[in-house]
Amino acid sequence: MVTMTRQRAGMIPLLVIATAQLMLVLDDSIVNIALPSIQRELGVPAENLPWVVNAYILAFGALLLLGGRIGDLRDTVALCSSVSWSS
């Protein structure tokens, strides 16, 4: 019985990480799908479209690192609750 509880407890972080990875891939896919609209609306040449995706991913990664650092410095529970209320 104890091993079954430990196995279930070990699955929770795995599910959280898998869900986060799914959201990252989905987010990147949305940006790639929006590229024709971005090109049409902003007049970006086709050879510069990969820079749009790279800039988005870099900005997202930088904000993710910043949020992690703020979470390290402050109370993680308070940070998560403030982010969930702002979304």
Side-chain angles (χ1 to χ4, degrees):
M1 184 69 179
V2 174
T3 58
M4 187 60 112
T5 305
R6 286 185 183 169
Q7 285 178 343
R8 287 185 182 169
M11 290 296 288
I12 292 173
L14 178 63
L15 290 174
V16 169
I17 292 171
T19 304
Q21 185 64 34
L22 174 70
M23 295 305 292
L24 291 173
V25 170
L26 182 66
D27 198 32
D28 187 40
S29 297
I30 290 170
V31 171
N32 282 319
I33 290 171
L35 283 178
S37 298
I38 292 171
Q39 182 180 17
R40 186 174 52 253
E41 296 291 327
L42 299 177
V44 177
E47 60 270 3
N48 290 338
L49 285 177
W51 287 102
V52 173
V53 177
N54 290 339
Y56 177 77
I57 291 173
L58 282 172
F60 183 77
L63 290 174
L64 195 62
L65 287 171
L66 179 65
R69 182 63 180 153
I70 292 171
D72 285 343
L73 295 175
R74 298 192 62 208
D75 185 19
T76 306
V77 175
L79 178 68
C80 290
S81 63
S82 67
V83 168
S84 65
W85 278 102
S86 66
S87 343

